[in-house]
Amino acid sequence: MKYINKSLTIERVKVQNIAKKFGTPVYCYSYEQLKENINNFKKKFNSFAPLICFAVKSNTNVNLIREIKKFGLGADVVSIGELMMALKAGIDPKKIVFSGVGKTSSELSYAIDKKILLINAESKSEINEIERIARTKKKIVNVGIRLNPNTDAKTLKQISTGKKENKFGVNEKIFFHLVNYCNFSKNINLKCLSVHIGSQILDHKPYEKMLKVVDRIIKKSNHKFEFIDLGGGMGISYEKNNKKLNYQKYNIAIKKFLKNHKSKIIFEPGRSIVGNIGSLISKVIYIKKNDKKDFVILDAAMNDLMRPALYGANHRTLPAIKKNKISEKVYEFVGPICESTDKFTTLKKFQKLKEKDLVVMCDVGAYGMSLSSNYNVRPKPAEILIKGSKIYVIKKRQKLEELF
């Protein structure tokens, strides 16, 4: 995304042309950026060729997942809906990992019937339920056990998953108990140790610490794991001055780990694959004057982009047409929903705006549409995929009638 002759463009399409044709708010995804992200991710770890399972929760558009599948990626799913979505997109069941702390009996049964690669279990009760269903179906089920390594990912507490106070995974003592239990089960084949310490991680050191814990646990368990699922969590740069994750050092740490363990590595990236491919175009409805700041009221709201309201996330916001005049007032960009948390960002020295101008919120490809809702009975936006100068509607705008 860049300015060409002062007009913001996504690949070779002007933002104002998109808004004119498809209305606002509208989600736009760049195919070229998607392609670049996937190829770069593969290159960073090409020495040990991991199985890359896209975290479907980050973006649940089936047409986008179809494009991701064409690059050979699998899927990491956390519900029967996501599993069905991945299968509908054509992803090979043998490249699908089912994660999550609360899989129901019907979800487990469906996953077993579909013969997916792994069900990553997170409790003794879940192992018991998998075993019961497998016994009933007279099947042997491949499972992983998710370890909670008690590792601080140095990220937002709302998206930390690897500390002992988090609900995810099992502690060391329970892990060893479950390994022994699975080894004596006739219906469970323990193939994987799974671990995932959080999201939006920008420091390689928590990953290094995690790998040391995993190394020690494997040696102590005396079990040969065919797969080591290291989860995802790789962060992206949401702001210009954001620190970037040092993939090279993470890669070195994994290669060192693999010298002692001949296992296949699984990754579950989401944000690092789709985060920066997405933009949300919105129109200024009103500019509400105030003493210390002006409220820029957009037609996008927290139901369209939940991250700022949910955990204070910030997205770069850009004008669709670049002009030289700067606002003397601070701008607070807000939506029309009746909640004080329905705001996106507060900016000083932003370009002076007028009503009906267009603005673009950047890097919304991950947890943008997938966290959207119909709060205030608001239809969800359209989603489009841009390839060069071509535009493909990959999800139509919801109609109000569909909500009634």
Side-chain angles (χ1 to χ4, degrees):
M1 188 163 59
K2 60 184 177 180
Y3 286 99
I4 299 175
N5 296 326
K6 297 189 177 181
S7 291
L8 192 60
T9 62
I10 300 170
E11 294 198 19
R12 295 200 295 274
V13 184
K14 291 180 180 180
V15 162
Q16 65 260 42
N17 291 348
I18 296 169
K20 188 176 180 180
K21 186 170 182 179
F22 298 99
T24 56
V26 58
Y27 271 88
C28 310
Y29 304 112
S30 164
Y31 177 80
E32 277 304 313
Q33 189 64 61
L34 175 68
K35 180 180 175 181
E36 184 180 317
N37 291 349
I38 294 173
N39 288 336
N40 283 344
F41 194 94
K42 286 181 176 180
K43 283 178 188 175
K44 280 159 184 164
F45 302 107
N46 63 1
S47 61
F48 53 87
L51 172 61
I52 304 169
C53 295
F54 173 65
V56 172
K57 64 180 176 288
S58 64
N59 193 305
T60 53
N61 187 294
V62 68
N63 290 303
L64 197 63
I65 298 168
R66 281 196 184 104
E67 297 293 340
I68 291 168
K69 174 249 177 190
K70 291 174 185 175
F71 291 92
L73 272 62
D76 161 52
V77 302
V78 293
S79 70
I80 190 170
E82 287 187 4
L83 175 51
M84 293 171 80
M85 183 77 77
L87 292 170
K88 187 174 176 63
I91 290 181
D92 183 352
K94 292 301 177 187
K95 289 184 176 181
I96 297 178
V97 176
F98 196 170
S99 308
V101 299
K103 308 176 197 76
T104 64
S105 298
S106 59
E107 287 180 312
L108 291 169
S109 181
Y110 183 84
I112 290 168
D113 287 342
K114 294 300 177 183
K115 299 177 182 177
I116 65 171
L117 177 65
L118 288 167
I119 299 173
N120 281 337
E122 303 210 20
S123 65
K124 175 69 185 298
S125 296
E126 186 180 348
I127 289 285
N128 289 340
E129 188 61 9
I130 292 169
E131 186 178 40
R132 183 191 69 77
I133 297 168
R135 195 185 307 120
T136 302
K137 294 178 181 288
K138 297 179 180 178
K139 291 184 178 181
I140 297 173
V141 180
N142 295 332
V143 304
I145 300 172
R146 180 168 174 177
L147 173 73
N148 186 318
N150 192 25
T151 301
D152 187 354
K154 307 294 182 185
T155 186
L156 291 170
K157 67 178 182 179
Q158 297 97 323
I159 50 179
S160 173
T161 61
K163 294 193 285 185
K164 63 182 180 181
E165 62 262 34
N166 299 135
K167 68 180 179 181
F168 301 96
V170 297
N171 64 30
E172 188 174 325
K173 182 180 177 182
I174 296 172
F175 183 85
F176 292 133
H177 169 70
L178 292 180
V179 170
N180 291 331
Y181 183 87
C182 291
N183 285 338
F184 285 98
S185 172
K186 294 178 181 179
N187 298 96
I188 288 177
N189 185 11
L190 179 57
K191 300 191 82 170
C192 178
L193 183 153
S194 169
V195 64
H196 178 71
I197 58 172
S199 189
Q200 186 51 16
I201 300 169
L202 296 167
D203 186 355
H204 66 280
K205 289 178 184 176
Y207 285 126
E208 290 178 341
K209 185 179 177 183
M210 173 191 79
L211 283 166
K212 286 177 182 176
V213 173
V214 172
D215 175 62
R216 178 176 58 79
I217 295 289
I218 293 173
K219 287 174 180 174
K220 198 172 175 181
S221 74
N222 201 29
H223 183 89
K224 179 166 173 45
F225 292 96
E226 184 178 337
F227 299 100
I228 304 297
D229 185 344
L230 296 177
M234 298 83 167
I236 65 170
S237 181
Y238 281 103
E239 298 177 57
K240 284 184 179 179
N241 299 323
N242 253 169
K243 181 181 177 182
K244 290 184 179 179
L245 176 64
N246 191 324
Y247 278 90
Q248 187 178 4
K249 289 188 176 179
Y250 188 22
N251 181 52
I252 290 167
I254 294 171
K255 286 199 287 186
K256 184 179 177 183
F257 169 85
L258 288 174
K259 285 180 181 178
N260 298 319
H261 309 285
K262 306 302 179 187
S263 303
K264 177 82 170 176
I265 297 294
I266 298 174
F267 283 127
E268 299 168 356
R271 190 190 314 271
S272 54
I273 300 297
V274 295
N276 68 348
I277 76 168
S279 306
L280 178 60
I281 303 173
S282 183
K283 185 183 289 184
V284 178
I285 304 173
Y286 301 118
I287 297 176
K288 187 175 178 179
K289 306 289 183 182
N290 211 329
D291 292 338
K292 293 184 179 179
K293 61 185 175 185
D294 287 349
F295 293 99
V296 179
I297 302 170
L298 305 175
D299 61 359
M302 62 188 281
N303 74 295
D304 303 306
L305 180 61
M306 185 67 174
R307 294 186 71 249
L310 188 62
Y311 37 70
N314 194 44
H315 291 267
R316 283 186 304 126
T317 302
L318 304 172
I321 305 290
K322 193 179 263 188
K323 296 174 184 175
N324 296 326
K325 203 166 185 182
I326 303 298
S327 173
E328 294 176 4
K329 299 280 284 292
V330 172
Y331 278 157
E332 186 164 299
F333 291 83
V334 301
I337 278 178
C338 296
E339 301 276 353
S340 293
T341 51
D342 184 27
K343 65 178 182 179
F344 299 108
T345 189
T346 303
L347 298 171
K348 296 178 181 178
K349 297 181 180 178
F350 196 83
Q351 176 180 301
K352 192 169 179 63
L353 294 172
K354 62 181 187 297
E355 292 169 1
K356 298 186 180 178
D357 278 353
L358 298 171
V359 296
V360 178
M361 285 172 271
C362 306
D363 307 317
V364 298
Y367 308 101
M369 268 300 280
S370 65
L371 278 173
S372 65
S373 73
N374 295 120
Y375 187 44
N376 281 194
V377 196
R378 289 172 54 87
K380 292 185 182 183
E383 293 175 90
I384 63 172
L385 179 65
I386 299 171
K387 291 184 178 182
S389 58
K390 293 183 179 179
I391 300 174
Y392 301 88
V393 178
I394 56 174
K395 197 164 190 179
K396 292 180 180 178
R397 185 180 303 279
Q398 266 187 335
K399 294 179 181 178
L400 274 170
E401 292 77 12
E402 296 173 38
L403 306 183
F404 302 150

